[in-house]
Amino acid sequence: MYFNKKETKLLAVGGTVVSWLPNPAAKVGGRSLATIAGGAAAVGKCIKFKVNPSLAFLSPAAAINGSGLYSDKAGDGYCK
């Protein structure tokens, strides 16, 4: 799943809002999302998520391997 620059900024804001929820998992997840998306937006990049559910039994990190930042023509030029 690819997000453009506007969507990346919205994810940063959304992550910040979620981090205020009283659930410990929401706090950690929200802060992580806000940090990654905010960092990408600050340098003019976008974020992408690649999820492989078959690896989820190993660890959450293995399930999202391949996620990260992208820019320009990666993602078929969607990072605008």
Side-chain angles (χ1 to χ4, degrees):
M1 179 178 293
Y2 290 86
F3 296 90
N4 63 26
K5 289 180 182 178
K6 180 180 178 183
E7 294 163 341
T8 297
K9 290 176 185 176
L10 289 174
L11 283 172
V13 171
T16 302
V17 171
V18 168
S19 73
W20 284 85
L21 295 174
N23 181 307
K27 287 181 182 182
V28 171
R31 289 175 184 166
S32 298
L33 180 59
T35 300
I36 294 166
V43 295
K45 294 188 176 186
C46 303
I47 60 172
K48 62 180 177 178
F49 291 117
K50 292 185 177 183
V51 179
N52 186 346
S54 64
L55 296 176
F57 73 94
L58 293 174
S59 74
I64 61 168
N65 188 26
S67 298
L69 307 182
Y70 79 100
S71 61
D72 301 326
K73 296 184 181 183
D76 294 329
Y78 190 66
C79 187
K80 297 178 184 174

